[in-house]
Amino acid sequence: MDIKKIFENNKQRIIEKLKIDPNHFKKLAKTQNPDILCISCSDSRVPIEDLMGAKPGEVFIHRNIANMVPNTDLNVMSVINFSVVHLKVKHIIVCGHYECGGVKAAMQAKDLGLLNPWLRNIRDVYRLHKKELDLIKNEDDKYKRLIELNVQEQCVNILKTSDVQLAYRDRELTVHGWVFDIHSGELIDLNIDFDKMLQEIMEIYRLS
Ligand code: CO
């Protein structure tokens, strides 16, 4: 994409927005009150707001390679803290996507330098679910399932945080695991049973 073209596009976009509502940017500048935090992949083919049909102000977004929620990543942990405690979002969505390069890279025996510790979190997901994944003989199906299980485990990581545990207990917050099927354009709810999962994990991860 031509960098100059971006500024031309931007000017055009301003004209279009103001044509619909002359106060569009004035309203946007006032405040934000999103109900949703979405954690998705940085992949350029996953324009998550566009896929959701969301307008500016509706979704707080965090993106990184393979939509990860590592327990020690100050970036994603700050986003979760801010959106739960201050924005008081009602939903946290982790949205993975099929054909995720990050997940594929983690499945290969390859030294990727600085990326190793990041991708190791995905290898840990594989290890946790090795029994199930080893039963899948078709490599593409295994890759797809690992993408789904990675979403599930990142949701579990969200549930391990004290901010989320408190909001969850008060029924103010719901966590969702989704996957974007890049082949069809469809957003798929993995329908992860978090209430059941919480019973299993809270014995270990309960903070208060
Ligand atoms: Co990806």
Side-chain angles (χ1 to χ4, degrees):
M1 191 179 188
D2 183 358
I3 294 291
K4 272 188 201 156
K5 183 85 176 101
I6 292 174
F7 289 96
E8 286 169 25
N9 289 349
N10 175 242
K11 282 197 183 94
Q12 196 53 44
R13 192 175 165 278
I14 293 169
I15 293 167
E16 284 164 15
K17 289 282 172 195
L18 293 180
K19 214 186 275 177
I20 298 165
D21 180 3
N23 292 316
H24 176 79
F25 292 105
K26 269 185 200 155
K27 283 183 198 163
L28 268 189
K30 270 185 191 161
T31 187
Q32 66 166 335
N33 191 21
D35 285 334
I36 299 170
L37 162 63
C38 184
I39 298 166
S40 69
C41 186
S42 297
D43 193 305
S44 60
R45 301 163 299 172
V46 187
I48 191 68
E49 287 158 292
D50 188 42
L51 295 172
M52 294 165 100
K55 295 190 213 60
E58 289 185 329
V59 186
F60 200 68
I61 307 264
H62 180 77
R63 291 173 72 173
N64 62 33
I65 293 173
N67 39 269
M68 302 301 289
V69 184
N71 300 309
T72 53
D73 179 38
L74 192 57
N75 190 349
V76 71
M77 286 299 146
S78 302
V79 167
I80 291 171
N81 173 271
F82 179 70
S83 52
V84 173
V85 176
H86 300 281
L87 293 175
K88 299 196 185 304
V89 295
K90 295 181 178 71
H91 304 274
I92 301 181
I93 298 158
V94 176
C95 187
H97 68 104
Y98 295 139
E99 305 298 337
C100 184
V103 175
K104 183 153 252 180
M107 285 175 81
Q108 288 159 5
K110 204 171 175 188
D111 185 348
L112 294 169
L114 185 68
L115 284 171
N116 292 337
W118 191 261
L119 299 177
R120 197 174 300 134
N121 293 303
I122 304 170
R123 290 181 196 263
D124 291 340
V125 173
Y126 196 109
R127 187 162 58 88
L128 272 172
H129 296 275
K130 192 174 183 302
K131 257 189 202 159
E132 179 187 339
L133 288 164
D134 282 354
L135 288 173
I136 306 171
K137 295 298 164 212
N138 180 296
E139 279 302 311
D140 284 344
D141 291 345
K142 190 186 280 194
Y143 175 31
K144 272 180 137 180
R145 186 62 188 140
L146 179 57
I147 285 163
E148 294 169 0
L149 290 168
N150 184 47
V151 167
Q152 180 179 310
E153 289 306 323
Q154 302 320 310
C155 291
V156 170
N157 284 345
I158 290 170
L159 294 168
K160 290 176 194 167
T161 66
S162 64
D163 298 330
V164 172
Q165 285 186 11
L166 278 176
Y168 220 89
R169 194 170 56 196
D170 298 337
R171 295 277 157 188
E172 288 167 352
L173 182 68
T174 317
V175 178
H176 310 262
W178 294 358
V179 71
F180 168 53
D181 186 351
I182 207 159
H183 303 282
S184 67
E186 196 183 352
L187 285 172
I188 301 162
D189 188 345
L190 296 172
N191 287 315
I192 301 166
D193 187 347
F194 288 112
D195 284 336
K196 185 171 162 250
M197 196 168 282
L198 274 171
Q199 286 174 4
E200 291 166 18
I201 67 165
M202 287 306 262
E203 196 185 325
I204 303 165
Y205 295 104
R206 185 184 302 282
L207 295 170
S208 62

